[in-house]
Amino acid sequence: MSPTDSSPASDLRSPDVTGHACIQGYLKTLDNSPGVYRMLDEQSRVLYVGKARNLRARVSNYARPAGHSPRIARMIRETASMMFLTTRTETEALLLEQNLIKQLKPKYNVLLRDDKSFPNILVAKDHTYPQIKKHRGAKKEKGTYFGPFASAGAVNRTLNQLQRVFLLRNCTDAMFESRTRPCLLYQIKRCSGPCVDHISPEDYAKSVRDAEQFLSGRSTRVQEELAAQMQQASDDMEFERAAALRDRIRALTQVQTAQGINPRGVSEADVIALHLENGQACVQVFFIRANQNWGNRDFYPRVGADIDEGEVLEAFLGQFYDSKDPPRQLLLSHEIENPDLMADALSQKLGRKVELLVPQRGEKAELVDGALRNARESLARKMAETATQGKLLKGLAEAFALDGPPRRIEVYDNSHIQGSNAVGAMIVAGPEGFVKNSYRKFNIRGDDLTPGDDFGMMKEVLNRRFSRLTKEDPDRQKGMWPDLLLIDGGAGQVSAVAQIMAEHGVQDIPMVGVAKGVDRDAGKEEFHRIGQRPFALRHNDPVLYFVQRLRDEAHRFAIGTHRAKRSKAIGATPLDEIAGVGAARKRALLAHFGSAKAVARANLADLKAVDGVSEALAEKIYDFFHDRA
């Protein structure tokens, strides 16, 4: 894809012209090419990104003074400039549009807010005894991938049962090579013990093929073979082996039962259903692979009050599959505006045909109905939770004498052990609960800090946070500024935070310190505000429980970040500081010499003898340690 033309907004507009008149001015320079357009406000913030088969025709629609929905009319009134990118085809325009939406997050576009990757099961093929494991991210490892699964839990349940059935190893190669006797998994009949040659490579390879057949949908054949082996073992009076095979068949049946929906006529599809209600949307996605249900996931895209199902679903598909491979079929609950265009774009991405269907009868329609029912129920739960959250935020505003319910609460905490591996953490909450993609962690850098100086750590964290906020959103227009700061601590911490905020010229954001109170017991918290006496809330006040949840979430996030940093530090060696020594060469050096200290003492000839270490790298390693000495 290569856009062929760009028209900057500043070339064509008068700074005082907005709305229809502004848009009308662009028609003189536009032709009938396909492409992507951006509508911007007076501060050059992107309001909307759209695609068009014919840019001139599409923009002329916006230039009309009437006939628009309230949402589009508001967008037109705010438009002060436009930008254009022409493409060779409308398909290219669609792909570019979705890319720009994900990057720019425009105010008036349907926006998919939760776009995490999905886990797969990987049967690694880089070892005589392949490992079966969970995999997330780019598919760079050699092996066979099965997925996606809706969640890590769905993968773990399937892996757990597959181990019982096929007895495949899940240990790392390093652990495998170091074993001199079988591990606990062998004792509880979850592994066949290939690490100590309790199974031949040929028999293990057959188990791998059976597992791949099952994950590919040929479970009936696997069960028939296991049943035949069990009968043969029984006939040969090998009752212990027959019992083990019986247990494996039962485990295989449990996997199929746990998956619930196992459609016979749908081998590979995503079932996608949308429910809209009161300006909110829920999209439910079921992953069907190898005639098996590999879980479902709900999404809550940002939508407007006057938008229809087809527009929402088309926007969801474009953003959802922007970073994921689509299956051969998409079973949809509603018709989208450009099904042929979307199918063509997804087919180009996958390299084979992708079919979009809105089934009306039969098994496929039943699958869509089930997904639609789930979407409706999920949205009802979400709306109920949002309503409860709204009441809590209103109660919080009353308890802390705020001007109104806060839309963004930031909670800060530190974690360290006697000053070592110190980290700061920030969590964010708002009307829809915890906003986890806004969480931030801060590695404490201050070399002049006294170990364990919580005041100094908090000062560094807040200095970095508000320095960046002031730089990135000085006008407070992007929703990045908090309405309330919660600090884990008492009057001293609040006073220190107030001083830091004053240094940044920020004195209008309320802040509250949450101290443990008498006996440091939960429920006896005291709250501290600048210029006010400490106060407490009723023991059974829902707002108190809400603040405790916020504080505990910040503590959990800070502790987790600290543990990850400490774990990484424990495994660190001087080799990490040498350019050119990555994870693989580090393992090779440690395996060859036994320790980093032995590597430091090694001579140049010994370093060159290590597999994967070139002459130049050996000299670099040798010079690193001897220069340091």
Side-chain angles (χ1 to χ4, degrees):
M1 177 174 59
S2 57
T4 57
D5 180 43
S6 175
S7 301
S10 58
D11 291 348
L12 298 170
R13 70 180 179 96
S14 165
D16 299 325
V17 178
T18 60
H20 300 287
C22 168
I23 297 171
Q24 184 76 37
Y26 290 99
L27 292 177
K28 304 171 187 175
T29 59
L30 289 176
D31 57 20
N32 299 326
S33 301
V36 173
Y37 57 93
R38 279 176 272 182
M39 307 175 86
L40 299 90
D41 66 9
E42 291 178 324
Q43 280 78 43
S44 295
R45 295 181 298 240
V46 180
L47 298 170
Y48 185 78
V49 174
K51 67 172 186 318
R53 179 182 304 165
N54 182 324
L55 280 171
R56 181 178 173 79
R58 176 59 59 88
V59 173
S60 66
N61 287 335
Y62 290 120
R64 289 188 289 108
H68 305 289
S69 68
R71 178 176 66 98
I72 299 301
R74 285 197 306 275
M75 179 181 75
I76 291 172
R77 284 197 299 271
E78 293 178 34
T79 299
S81 63
M82 295 185 72
M83 295 182 70
F84 304 91
L85 287 168
T86 59
T87 57
R88 288 189 296 267
T89 66
E90 190 181 4
T91 301
E92 287 186 358
L94 173 64
L95 296 172
L96 178 59
E97 174 200 34
Q98 300 307 330
N99 254 319
L100 290 173
I101 290 172
K102 291 186 73 172
Q103 290 175 26
L104 302 173
K105 297 178 173 54
K107 178 180 177 180
Y108 287 98
N109 280 95
V110 174
L111 188 63
L112 177 59
R113 292 176 285 193
D114 179 13
D115 192 26
K116 295 179 181 176
S117 63
F118 293 95
N120 291 265
I121 287 178
L122 168 63
V123 180
K125 294 295 180 66
D126 55 355
H127 197 280
T128 306
Y129 294 99
Q131 174 193 13
I132 186 168
K133 62 181 179 179
K134 177 173 62 181
H135 178 89
R136 192 190 291 269
K139 298 178 180 179
K140 295 180 179 179
E141 292 187 52
K142 183 181 178 182
T144 309
Y145 293 85
F146 299 93
F149 287 78
S151 64
V155 172
N156 292 336
R157 286 191 296 272
T158 302
L159 282 174
N160 185 42
Q161 297 297 340
L162 288 176
Q163 281 183 273
R164 293 175 58 188
V165 177
F166 302 109
L167 308 180
L168 302 181
R169 73 177 182 96
N170 67 352
C171 57
T172 63
D173 290 349
M175 183 178 288
F176 181 92
E177 301 298 342
S178 67
R179 299 298 303 183
T180 57
R181 58 181 181 177
C183 66
L184 180 63
L185 287 177
Y186 175 80
Q187 308 297 337
I188 63 174
K189 297 181 173 58
R190 296 290 179 88
C191 180
S192 53
C195 56
V196 289
D197 298 325
H198 282 356
I199 184 173
S200 68
E202 293 76 21
D203 289 341
Y204 190 87
K206 185 179 183 308
S207 295
V208 171
R209 285 195 299 272
D210 288 345
E212 290 178 331
Q213 283 187 348
F214 172 77
L215 290 169
S216 300
R218 296 188 286 274
S219 55
T220 304
R221 182 187 303 173
V222 175
Q223 283 181 304
E224 288 174 352
E225 290 179 1
L226 289 174
Q229 293 174 30
M230 182 182 69
Q231 185 61 48
Q232 184 62 49
S234 179
D235 293 343
D236 295 342
M237 302 185 71
E238 297 178 3
F239 299 120
E240 188 173 343
R241 181 168 176 267
L245 288 165
R246 177 203 61 201
D247 292 342
R248 291 171 66 182
I249 293 171
R250 284 179 179 172
L252 199 57
T253 304
Q254 285 181 10
V255 177
Q256 295 165 313
T257 303
Q259 288 167 342
I261 303 169
N262 292 295
R264 296 181 179 178
V266 182
S267 62
E268 181 184 331
D270 284 350
V271 184
I272 303 174
L274 165 69
H275 181 68
L276 275 177
E277 186 176 338
N278 295 331
Q280 297 189 55
C282 176
V283 179
Q284 190 79 210
V285 183
F286 278 79
F287 301 97
I288 307 295
R289 300 293 186 275
N291 298 95
Q292 302 169 39
N293 171 29
W294 283 355
N296 63 295
R297 181 87 168 269
D298 46 7
F299 300 87
Y300 301 92
R302 187 191 71 193
V303 300
D306 52 359
I307 196 168
D308 60 38
E309 286 90 349
E311 186 178 349
V312 175
L313 204 52
E314 180 171 308
F316 175 84
L317 294 178
Q319 294 174 52
F320 185 70
Y321 291 111
D322 179 61
S323 56
K324 302 176 184 68
D325 288 339
R328 294 177 184 273
Q329 278 190 343
L330 303 181
L331 306 182
L332 309 179
S333 61
H334 298 82
E335 292 280 359
I336 64 173
E337 296 179 353
N338 302 285
D340 294 337
L341 180 63
M342 182 61 70
D344 184 45
L346 295 178
S347 297
Q348 285 188 26
K349 176 178 173 58
L350 190 62
R352 52 184 168 85
K353 184 178 180 182
V354 175
E355 189 177 17
L356 274 62
L357 300 174
V358 183
Q360 303 299 318
R361 62 182 65 86
E363 186 180 38
K364 292 177 180 177
E366 291 175 6
L367 289 172
V368 172
D369 289 343
L372 191 56
R373 183 176 62 255
N374 274 271
R376 187 164 50 247
E377 293 170 356
S378 295
L379 185 59
R381 287 192 296 270
K382 180 77 170 178
M383 291 170 70
E385 291 169 4
T386 302
T388 302
Q389 186 81 354
K391 291 179 182 176
L392 289 171
L393 292 173
K394 185 177 179 181
L396 193 69
E398 293 172 357
F400 295 154
L402 308 179
D403 293 336
R407 297 196 59 80
R408 182 183 174 100
I409 304 170
E410 292 185 357
V411 191
Y412 292 87
D413 196 8
N414 297 325
S415 183
H416 59 90
I417 295 179
Q418 296 181 344
S420 66
N421 301 309
V423 296
M426 177 192 84
I427 70 151
V428 179
E432 296 183 355
F434 293 117
V435 188
K436 295 197 174 184
N437 60 358
S438 294
Y439 286 15
R440 295 291 181 269
K441 53 190 175 184
F442 304 83
N443 288 315
I444 304 298
R445 302 169 182 161
D447 297 328
D448 55 341
L449 290 179
T450 304
D453 179 6
D454 285 328
F455 287 91
M457 293 178 194
M458 186 62 68
K459 181 174 182 179
E460 179 178 332
V461 167
L462 289 168
N463 269 329
R464 285 162 60 185
R465 168 65 179 156
F466 282 92
S467 294
R468 186 165 184 172
L469 260 185
T470 306
K471 181 180 178 181
E472 293 183 352
D473 188 16
D475 300 324
R476 305 192 187 187
Q477 297 292 323
K478 299 179 181 179
M480 300 167 64
W481 285 76
D483 303 308
L484 173 66
L485 296 183
L486 288 182
I487 310 298
D488 186 25
Q493 277 89 344
V494 173
S495 177
V497 170
Q499 182 181 347
I500 296 164
M501 303 290 280
E503 290 173 4
H504 288 277
V506 180
Q507 295 177 289
D508 58 338
I509 297 178
M511 61 192 74
V512 177
V514 184
K516 288 288 179 62
V518 181
D519 301 326
R520 299 183 64 80
D521 286 340
K524 298 182 180 179
E525 284 84 359
E526 288 184 344
F527 301 99
H528 297 261
R529 295 197 64 181
I530 293 294
Q532 296 184 16
R533 293 173 61 86
F535 65 96
L537 297 174
R538 294 193 324 271
H539 184 68
N540 60 348
D541 192 330
V543 174
L544 175 60
Y545 297 143
F546 180 50
V547 174
Q548 289 172 350
R549 277 174 50 212
L550 294 173
R551 181 199 59 201
D552 293 346
E553 172 68 2
H555 193 57
R556 178 201 66 78
F557 185 60
I559 288 287
T561 304
H562 166 71
R563 285 175 177 166
K565 184 177 181 181
R566 190 178 67 201
S567 177
K568 186 175 181 181
I570 289 171
T573 74
L575 297 174
D576 296 322
E577 302 175 33
I578 306 174
V581 177
R585 289 192 177 112
K586 177 182 170 183
R587 283 196 301 269
L589 287 163
L590 293 175
H592 187 90
F593 292 103
S595 68
K597 189 177 289 186
V599 177
R601 291 197 299 261
N603 60 40
L604 196 56
D606 290 337
L607 290 170
K608 292 177 184 177
V610 178
D611 186 32
V613 176
S614 65
E615 184 173 345
L617 182 58
E619 291 177 359
K620 186 182 292 185
I621 297 169
Y622 184 84
D623 291 343
F624 175 84
F625 286 110
H626 286 75
D627 285 348
R628 170 172 290 188

